[in-house]
Amino acid sequence: MMKRILVTGGAGFLGSHLCDRLVAQGHDVICLDNFFTSQKSNIKHLLTEPNFELVRHDVTHPIWLEVDEIYNLACPASPVHYQYNPIKTMKVSVMGAINMLGLAKRCGAKIFQASTSEVYGDPDIHPQPESYRGNVNPIGVRSCYDEGKRAAETLFFDYWRSNNVNIRVVRIFNTYGPRMHPYDGRVVSNFILQAIKGEDITLYGDGLQTRSFCYVDDLINGFLKLMAAPDDCPGPINIGNPGEFTIKQLAELIIELTGSSSKLVYMPLPQDDPTQRKPDITLAKEKLGWQPTVELRDGLTKTIEYFASLDLSKYRKPTGHTAHCSTETDEKMRTLS
């Protein structure tokens, strides 16, 4: 059955892949984006499709539409972007959730929230199940994102309990693939760009902190399965790849796949940077029948091909930020400013 579906943040990395899938399924898709971190080139190929519509709008302001489903993906999602304007980041998470939940309530629409593994903070339980409440710093430099997403989850479940809004909440673990912003400051994009250019690859800390990397196609499959799940399955549900790699292993694999002469260099660990991150996807397997299928080597090969094809002059480099500074360096920068 064709549905009218709103995707906020629809021109971003994840949003554009989701729009691709929904348009291909024949749904009438409204892509809403303010283009703070996204690129119009991500959805350029969809602009001629009769069942696709692009609206430039900021989710911190209400919008009145008639839709059947809402995917709320709008939010800066990398440290260099969300720390650039931390107050606006918090507004996007909280006010954006309020506005989209209000729209869902009025329309009777099912609504999906893209939450994050950052709600677990620097976890002292490994891997992280959905029942784990986290070890989060509420006043740190990353808190605008971590606490904003935690507050959004609260709002979603309060609207579910108080107003019977049909919700779905997913907690996304590190995801990578084509259409990542080349200057988003995330570890995969950083390493690939540095390797392609033959520059030193920058590792923070000792490089032994771990991450789990999920290829974008697998993630979008998880989104669609959760949205289609029975109404007694609101989440939150972890969606991510449980394969665990150290940051150093990731760097070495990218050097191998690019044939780069890059060397590894080490910098101080940023403030509140988690030392371990791995999803427990038991619920996703049981409730959704979902698990990732793309191996890291295969996904990185596709991502490297994408980055190698980019004209980097068409992308804005990040403005000044302290996202990758250690606590000590950050204090020095504040003192000098």
Side-chain angles (χ1 to χ4, degrees):
M1 181 180 71
M2 188 192 79
K3 299 173 184 174
R4 189 165 176 80
I5 301 175
L6 172 65
V7 181
T8 74
F13 165 43
L14 300 182
S16 62
H17 284 279
L18 177 60
C19 285
D20 278 348
R21 294 287 292 276
L22 296 173
V23 168
Q25 289 176 357
H27 299 297
D28 191 2
V29 178
I30 303 172
C31 167
L32 186 150
D33 210 297
N34 71 348
F35 294 101
F36 172 57
T37 63
S38 54
Q39 304 292 317
K40 194 175 289 185
S41 58
N42 287 345
I43 44 87
K44 181 181 178 181
H45 60 288
L46 293 174
L47 294 176
T48 56
E49 296 293 334
N51 57 329
F52 180 81
E53 180 180 357
L54 173 63
V55 178
R56 184 184 288 266
H57 184 80
D58 190 319
V59 293
T60 62
H61 302 287
I63 190 169
W64 286 267
L65 298 166
E66 298 297 329
V67 294
D68 302 304
E69 293 182 352
I70 302 168
Y71 286 85
N72 187 35
L73 274 59
C75 188
S78 69
V80 300
H81 287 140
Y82 63 66
Q83 290 183 35
Y84 169 65
N85 190 338
I87 295 171
K88 182 60 180 286
T89 296
M90 181 68 85
K91 285 183 176 180
V92 169
S93 287
V94 176
M95 296 172 64
I98 290 171
N99 288 330
M100 290 303 110
L101 285 162
L103 177 61
K105 178 185 175 184
R106 182 180 65 80
C107 293
K110 187 188 302 184
I111 182 168
F112 176 105
Q113 168 65 5
S115 190
T116 173
S117 60
E118 298 298 333
V119 300
Y120 299 123
D122 188 2
D124 49 18
I125 291 179
H126 192 74
Q128 295 82 56
E130 292 84 350
S131 58
Y132 177 54
R133 296 182 180 180
N135 176 34
V136 181
N137 178 2
I139 59 170
V141 295
R142 300 166 62 104
S143 302
C144 58
Y145 183 70
D146 303 356
E147 295 292 357
K149 289 291 190 178
R150 286 164 69 94
E153 286 195 18
T154 300
L155 285 162
F156 266 70
F157 278 87
D158 282 338
Y159 265 78
W160 176 58
R161 284 185 289 259
S162 300
N163 298 309
N164 295 315
V165 174
N166 193 346
I167 68 167
R168 302 289 189 276
V169 176
V170 65
R171 289 176 177 164
I172 301 169
F173 283 69
N174 292 61
T175 305
Y176 69 100
R179 299 184 199 161
M180 295 182 77
H181 194 294
Y183 297 118
D184 67 6
R186 300 188 212 196
V187 64
V188 172
S189 48
N190 274 356
F191 287 1
I192 291 177
L193 276 188
Q194 289 170 336
I196 288 173
K197 295 178 179 180
E199 299 173 351
D200 290 339
I201 290 186
T202 308
L203 277 69
Y204 295 93
D206 57 12
L208 300 182
Q209 63 270 40
T210 66
R211 295 292 185 271
S212 301
F213 302 100
C214 185
Y215 189 65
V216 62
D217 290 353
D218 282 335
L219 189 84
I220 299 304
N221 286 339
F223 283 10
L224 297 174
K225 282 182 175 289
L226 179 56
M227 193 61 129
D231 291 347
D232 63 354
C233 186
I237 287 188
N238 291 335
I239 297 292
N241 193 318
E244 188 176 13
F245 298 86
T246 68
I247 299 302
K248 183 178 179 182
Q249 287 175 321
L250 175 70
E252 291 170 342
L253 180 55
I254 288 174
I255 289 173
E256 175 195 336
L257 293 174
T258 56
S260 176
S261 59
S262 296
K263 302 293 188 290
L264 304 182
V265 296
Y266 296 84
M267 302 288 286
L269 193 68
Q271 182 182 357
D272 296 331
D273 191 52
T275 55
Q276 287 184 310
R277 185 57 55 73
K278 175 181 176 178
D280 180 334
I281 62 168
T282 302
L283 272 182
K285 289 179 178 179
E286 292 177 352
K287 299 289 187 180
L288 309 179
W290 177 89
Q291 61 183 346
T293 61
V294 180
E295 297 292 336
L296 181 61
R297 177 179 289 270
D298 296 333
L300 283 177
T301 299
K302 296 177 183 178
T303 308
I304 289 167
E305 289 173 356
Y306 168 78
F307 274 82
S309 73
L310 293 180
D311 178 356
L312 294 177
S313 67
K314 295 182 178 180
Y315 293 82
R316 285 187 300 175
K317 292 186 178 181
T319 52
H321 62 85
T322 60
H324 291 151
C325 291
S326 66
T327 305
E328 294 78 10
T329 307
D330 191 40
E331 289 295 336
K332 289 178 183 177
M333 292 185 72
R334 280 198 288 265
T335 302
L336 293 172
S337 61

